[in-house]
Amino acid sequence: EEQLVESGGGLVQPGGSLRLSCSASGFNFNSCEMHWVRQAPGKGLEWVSSIGGGAYTVYYADSVKGRFTISRDNAKDSLYLQMDSLRAEDTAVYFCARVPPWLGGVDALDLWGQGTEVTVSP
Amino acid sequence: DIQMTQSPFSLSASVGDRVTITCRASQTLSKYLNWYQQKPGKAPKLLLYAASSLQSGVPSRFSGSGSGTDFSLTINSLQPEDFATYYCQQTYSSPPTFGHGTKVEIK
């Protein structure tokens, strides 16, 4: 079964750091572009960051650029999001999601994890 | 960044109704438009990609159309399990952006 499982969320003070992980199973992880998407409480979806299969291309939303770092370890089928200088407005559920290579460059997110909750509060 | 405007913000409908949600982009997307369904406390689920291609396993009562800047998602014969929030997403240019969502509620 194809699956993504996030971990690493929790409560952190403003200015603190947190590292999220996303463990993939059941598919060829290194063939897939991977994304992080977040959802603040009661709000809509916000794209955060993406990384290519070979980790050569990375992109960030302006709201996290310079504070968050996306990475992956294909040997461990894992995706990461290092979050530094956290702010209250980073409070959200963070989802990892996959772009499969067979959608012809459309970049739709066809497999999502269950999400991990991050709360930034004093 | 490309802005995505969904309408309506929410709607009430009955089981069996036909429902249409629209999504307008601030610039042309060709067909780089995807639709997701999200239920409370759950991850989003991909319904359609490239404007009109049905994701595997998604019921055929869901359909999508449009190109350029104007797109729509139609649900024919609304079922109880379809009450959820629906999001459009453009992947034409980075950053990929989502619409604000349309909540479909039971009348």
Side-chain angles (χ1 to χ4, degrees), chain B residues 48-76:
Chain B
L48 296 126
Y49 60 93
S52 59
S53 296
L54 196 65
Q55 170 67 351
S56 175
V58 174
S60 59
R61 63 180 179 273
F62 291 91
S63 63
S65 65
S67 65
T69 61
D70 293 308
F71 300 85
S72 63
L73 167 70
T74 297
I75 311 172
N76 283 301

mmCIF file of all heavy atoms in Angstrom, chain B residues 48-76:
data_model
loop_
_atom_site.group_PDB
_atom_site.id
_atom_site.type_symbol
_atom_site.label_atom_id
_atom_site.label_comp_id
_atom_site.label_asym_id
_atom_site.label_seq_id
_atom_site.Cartn_x
_atom_site.Cartn_y
_atom_site.Cartn_z
ATOM 1 N N LEU B 48 -9.564 15.565 -9.619
ATOM 2 C CA LEU B 48 -9.328 15.772 -11.051
ATOM 3 C C LEU B 48 -8.009 16.499 -11.224
ATOM 4 O O LEU B 48 -7.648 17.357 -10.416
ATOM 5 C CB LEU B 48 -10.442 16.603 -11.680
ATOM 6 C CG LEU B 48 -11.817 15.966 -11.670
ATOM 7 C CD1 LEU B 48 -12.830 16.909 -11.039
ATOM 8 C CD2 LEU B 48 -12.256 15.602 -13.076
ATOM 9 N N TYR B 49 -7.306 16.194 -12.299
ATOM 10 C CA TYR B 49 -6.078 16.902 -12.639
ATOM 11 C C TYR B 49 -6.141 17.316 -14.107
ATOM 12 O O TYR B 49 -6.951 16.782 -14.880
ATOM 13 C CB TYR B 49 -4.850 16.042 -12.347
ATOM 14 C CG TYR B 49 -4.801 14.740 -13.112
ATOM 15 C CD1 TYR B 49 -4.125 14.648 -14.330
ATOM 16 C CD2 TYR B 49 -5.428 13.590 -12.626
ATOM 17 C CE1 TYR B 49 -4.081 13.466 -15.039
ATOM 18 C CE2 TYR B 49 -5.397 12.403 -13.325
ATOM 19 C CZ TYR B 49 -4.714 12.344 -14.538
ATOM 20 O OH TYR B 49 -4.686 11.160 -15.238
ATOM 21 N N ALA B 50 -5.307 18.258 -14.447
ATOM 22 C CA ALA B 50 -5.301 18.796 -15.823
ATOM 23 C C ALA B 50 -6.708 19.198 -16.252
ATOM 24 O O ALA B 50 -7.139 18.932 -17.370
ATOM 25 C CB ALA B 50 -4.708 17.778 -16.792
ATOM 26 N N ALA B 51 -7.409 19.816 -15.356
ATOM 27 C CA ALA B 51 -8.734 20.406 -15.558
ATOM 28 C C ALA B 51 -9.861 19.393 -15.672
ATOM 29 O O ALA B 51 -10.945 19.610 -15.124
ATOM 30 C CB ALA B 51 -8.749 21.342 -16.771
ATOM 31 N N SER B 52 -9.630 18.288 -16.387
ATOM 32 C CA SER B 52 -10.761 17.408 -16.672
ATOM 33 C C SER B 52 -10.449 15.924 -16.563
ATOM 34 O O SER B 52 -11.336 15.093 -16.849
ATOM 35 C CB SER B 52 -11.306 17.699 -18.082
ATOM 36 O OG SER B 52 -10.293 17.493 -19.048
ATOM 37 N N SER B 53 -9.241 15.568 -16.169
ATOM 38 C CA SER B 53 -8.879 14.150 -16.068
ATOM 39 C C SER B 53 -9.224 13.612 -14.684
ATOM 40 O O SER B 53 -8.751 14.126 -13.672
ATOM 41 C CB SER B 53 -7.382 13.955 -16.339
ATOM 42 O OG SER B 53 -7.065 14.315 -17.656
ATOM 43 N N LEU B 54 -10.053 12.575 -14.675
ATOM 44 C CA LEU B 54 -10.523 12.010 -13.420
ATOM 45 C C LEU B 54 -9.434 11.142 -12.799
ATOM 46 O O LEU B 54 -8.900 10.231 -13.447
ATOM 47 C CB LEU B 54 -11.781 11.183 -13.685
ATOM 48 C CG LEU B 54 -12.661 10.815 -12.498
ATOM 49 C CD1 LEU B 54 -13.288 12.057 -11.875
ATOM 50 C CD2 LEU B 54 -13.740 9.835 -12.933
ATOM 51 N N GLN B 55 -9.120 11.411 -11.546
ATOM 52 C CA GLN B 55 -8.137 10.604 -10.835
ATOM 53 C C GLN B 55 -8.688 9.187 -10.655
ATOM 54 O O GLN B 55 -9.895 8.977 -10.447
ATOM 55 C CB GLN B 55 -7.818 11.243 -9.483
ATOM 56 C CG GLN B 55 -6.989 10.404 -8.525
ATOM 57 C CD GLN B 55 -5.556 10.171 -8.985
ATOM 58 O OE1 GLN B 55 -5.177 10.493 -10.104
ATOM 59 N NE2 GLN B 55 -4.747 9.594 -8.103
ATOM 60 N N SER B 56 -7.787 8.218 -10.705
ATOM 61 C CA SER B 56 -8.176 6.831 -10.536
ATOM 62 C C SER B 56 -8.943 6.621 -9.236
ATOM 63 O O SER B 56 -8.539 7.111 -8.168
ATOM 64 C CB SER B 56 -6.913 5.956 -10.540
ATOM 65 O OG SER B 56 -7.239 4.613 -10.273
ATOM 66 N N GLY B 57 -10.057 5.906 -9.326
ATOM 67 C CA GLY B 57 -10.856 5.589 -8.151
ATOM 68 C C GLY B 57 -11.903 6.619 -7.783
ATOM 69 O O GLY B 57 -12.718 6.384 -6.894
ATOM 70 N N VAL B 58 -11.907 7.754 -8.466
ATOM 71 C CA VAL B 58 -12.892 8.804 -8.173
ATOM 72 C C VAL B 58 -14.160 8.535 -8.984
ATOM 73 O O VAL B 58 -14.085 8.261 -10.184
ATOM 74 C CB VAL B 58 -12.314 10.188 -8.505
ATOM 75 C CG1 VAL B 58 -13.382 11.287 -8.349
ATOM 76 C CG2 VAL B 58 -11.112 10.492 -7.615
ATOM 77 N N PRO B 59 -15.315 8.612 -8.353
ATOM 78 C CA PRO B 59 -16.556 8.313 -9.061
ATOM 79 C C PRO B 59 -16.790 9.222 -10.268
ATOM 80 O O PRO B 59 -16.419 10.399 -10.254
ATOM 81 C CB PRO B 59 -17.636 8.549 -7.995
ATOM 82 C CG PRO B 59 -16.935 8.386 -6.700
ATOM 83 C CD PRO B 59 -15.540 8.876 -6.917
ATOM 84 N N SER B 60 -17.433 8.675 -11.269
ATOM 85 C CA SER B 60 -17.640 9.408 -12.515
ATOM 86 C C SER B 60 -18.653 10.540 -12.388
ATOM 87 O O SER B 60 -18.827 11.320 -13.335
ATOM 88 C CB SER B 60 -18.083 8.447 -13.613
ATOM 89 O OG SER B 60 -19.279 7.793 -13.245
ATOM 90 N N ARG B 61 -19.331 10.661 -11.252
ATOM 91 C CA ARG B 61 -20.239 11.802 -11.076
ATOM 92 C C ARG B 61 -19.463 13.118 -10.928
ATOM 93 O O ARG B 61 -20.053 14.200 -11.040
ATOM 94 C CB ARG B 61 -21.154 11.595 -9.876
ATOM 95 C CG ARG B 61 -20.473 11.506 -8.533
ATOM 96 C CD ARG B 61 -21.506 11.307 -7.409
ATOM 97 N NE ARG B 61 -20.875 11.192 -6.094
ATOM 98 C CZ ARG B 61 -20.440 10.047 -5.595
ATOM 99 N NH1 ARG B 61 -20.572 8.921 -6.278
ATOM 100 N NH2 ARG B 61 -19.866 10.020 -4.393
ATOM 101 N N PHE B 62 -18.165 13.022 -10.682
ATOM 102 C CA PHE B 62 -17.314 14.204 -10.637
ATOM 103 C C PHE B 62 -16.763 14.473 -12.044
ATOM 104 O O PHE B 62 -16.267 13.562 -12.708
ATOM 105 C CB PHE B 62 -16.144 14.009 -9.674
ATOM 106 C CG PHE B 62 -16.535 13.941 -8.231
ATOM 107 C CD1 PHE B 62 -16.817 12.727 -7.628
ATOM 108 C CD2 PHE B 62 -16.625 15.099 -7.471
ATOM 109 C CE1 PHE B 62 -17.191 12.655 -6.290
ATOM 110 C CE2 PHE B 62 -16.985 15.046 -6.127
ATOM 111 C CZ PHE B 62 -17.274 13.819 -5.535
ATOM 112 N N SER B 63 -16.847 15.707 -12.477
ATOM 113 C CA SER B 63 -16.266 16.068 -13.755
ATOM 114 C C SER B 63 -15.724 17.485 -13.697
ATOM 115 O O SER B 63 -16.165 18.304 -12.860
ATOM 116 C CB SER B 63 -17.288 15.944 -14.885
ATOM 117 O OG SER B 63 -18.356 16.855 -14.684
ATOM 118 N N GLY B 64 -14.780 17.772 -14.566
ATOM 119 C CA GLY B 64 -14.184 19.093 -14.613
ATOM 120 C C GLY B 64 -14.102 19.592 -16.030
ATOM 121 O O GLY B 64 -14.028 18.811 -16.978
ATOM 122 N N SER B 65 -14.118 20.906 -16.171
ATOM 123 C CA SER B 65 -13.997 21.503 -17.487
ATOM 124 C C SER B 65 -13.316 22.854 -17.372
ATOM 125 O O SER B 65 -13.143 23.391 -16.273
ATOM 126 C CB SER B 65 -15.375 21.650 -18.134
ATOM 127 O OG SER B 65 -16.173 22.562 -17.391
ATOM 128 N N GLY B 66 -12.974 23.379 -18.542
ATOM 129 C CA GLY B 66 -12.374 24.707 -18.581
ATOM 130 C C GLY B 66 -10.952 24.701 -19.081
ATOM 131 O O GLY B 66 -10.297 23.658 -19.151
ATOM 132 N N SER B 67 -10.485 25.864 -19.424
ATOM 133 C CA SER B 67 -9.099 26.090 -19.823
ATOM 134 C C SER B 67 -8.849 27.592 -19.797
ATOM 135 O O SER B 67 -9.801 28.382 -19.757
ATOM 136 C CB SER B 67 -8.793 25.508 -21.201
ATOM 137 O OG SER B 67 -9.529 26.186 -22.183
ATOM 138 N N GLY B 68 -7.567 27.951 -19.805
ATOM 139 C CA GLY B 68 -7.274 29.380 -19.750
ATOM 140 C C GLY B 68 -7.401 29.907 -18.333
ATOM 141 O O GLY B 68 -6.568 29.587 -17.483
ATOM 142 N N THR B 69 -8.430 30.681 -18.077
ATOM 143 C CA THR B 69 -8.606 31.264 -16.749
ATOM 144 C C THR B 69 -9.856 30.789 -16.013
ATOM 145 O O THR B 69 -9.988 31.041 -14.817
ATOM 146 C CB THR B 69 -8.655 32.801 -16.812
ATOM 147 O OG1 THR B 69 -9.775 33.186 -17.630
ATOM 148 C CG2 THR B 69 -7.375 33.376 -17.402
ATOM 149 N N ASP B 70 -10.777 30.145 -16.707
ATOM 150 C CA ASP B 70 -12.052 29.779 -16.090
ATOM 151 C C ASP B 70 -12.271 28.273 -16.105
ATOM 152 O O ASP B 70 -12.217 27.641 -17.169
ATOM 153 C CB ASP B 70 -13.203 30.479 -16.802
ATOM 154 C CG ASP B 70 -13.160 31.982 -16.588
ATOM 155 O OD1 ASP B 70 -13.070 32.410 -15.418
ATOM 156 O OD2 ASP B 70 -13.190 32.721 -17.575
ATOM 157 N N PHE B 71 -12.540 27.740 -14.927
ATOM 158 C CA PHE B 71 -12.667 26.297 -14.751
ATOM 159 C C PHE B 71 -13.868 25.992 -13.865
ATOM 160 O O PHE B 71 -14.319 26.850 -13.096
ATOM 161 C CB PHE B 71 -11.408 25.729 -14.088
ATOM 162 C CG PHE B 71 -10.158 25.971 -14.886
ATOM 163 C CD1 PHE B 71 -9.465 27.165 -14.764
ATOM 164 C CD2 PHE B 71 -9.677 25.018 -15.773
ATOM 165 C CE1 PHE B 71 -8.314 27.413 -15.507
ATOM 166 C CE2 PHE B 71 -8.538 25.244 -16.521
ATOM 167 C CZ PHE B 71 -7.859 26.446 -16.391
ATOM 168 N N SER B 72 -14.377 24.771 -13.984
ATOM 169 C CA SER B 72 -15.479 24.381 -13.132
ATOM 170 C C SER B 72 -15.374 22.918 -12.748
ATOM 171 O O SER B 72 -14.828 22.096 -13.496
ATOM 172 C CB SER B 72 -16.820 24.659 -13.803
ATOM 173 O OG SER B 72 -16.947 23.882 -14.969
ATOM 174 N N LEU B 73 -15.892 22.633 -11.564
ATOM 175 C CA LEU B 73 -16.040 21.274 -11.058
ATOM 176 C C LEU B 73 -17.532 21.025 -10.928
ATOM 177 O O LEU B 73 -18.243 21.834 -10.311
ATOM 178 C CB LEU B 73 -15.366 21.125 -9.692
ATOM 179 C CG LEU B 73 -15.694 19.860 -8.886
ATOM 180 C CD1 LEU B 73 -15.077 18.642 -9.555
ATOM 181 C CD2 LEU B 73 -15.182 19.996 -7.453
ATOM 182 N N THR B 74 -18.010 19.934 -11.496
ATOM 183 C CA THR B 74 -19.421 19.581 -11.396
ATOM 184 C C THR B 74 -19.562 18.233 -10.712
ATOM 185 O O THR B 74 -18.810 17.302 -11.015
ATOM 186 C CB THR B 74 -20.070 19.535 -12.791
ATOM 187 O OG1 THR B 74 -20.020 20.840 -13.377
ATOM 188 C CG2 THR B 74 -21.539 19.104 -12.692
ATOM 189 N N ILE B 75 -20.500 18.172 -9.790
ATOM 190 C CA ILE B 75 -20.850 16.908 -9.146
ATOM 191 C C ILE B 75 -22.277 16.594 -9.559
ATOM 192 O O ILE B 75 -23.208 17.348 -9.224
ATOM 193 C CB ILE B 75 -20.754 16.985 -7.610
ATOM 194 C CG1 ILE B 75 -19.430 17.605 -7.173
ATOM 195 C CG2 ILE B 75 -20.912 15.583 -7.009
ATOM 196 C CD1 ILE B 75 -19.352 17.899 -5.669
ATOM 197 N N ASN B 76 -22.456 15.530 -10.310
ATOM 198 C CA ASN B 76 -23.789 15.101 -10.716
ATOM 199 C C ASN B 76 -24.345 14.164 -9.667
ATOM 200 O O ASN B 76 -23.656 13.273 -9.194
ATOM 201 C CB ASN B 76 -23.734 14.384 -12.068
ATOM 202 C CG ASN B 76 -23.588 15.362 -13.204
ATOM 203 O OD1 ASN B 76 -24.430 16.243 -13.402
ATOM 204 N ND2 ASN B 76 -22.511 15.237 -13.961
#
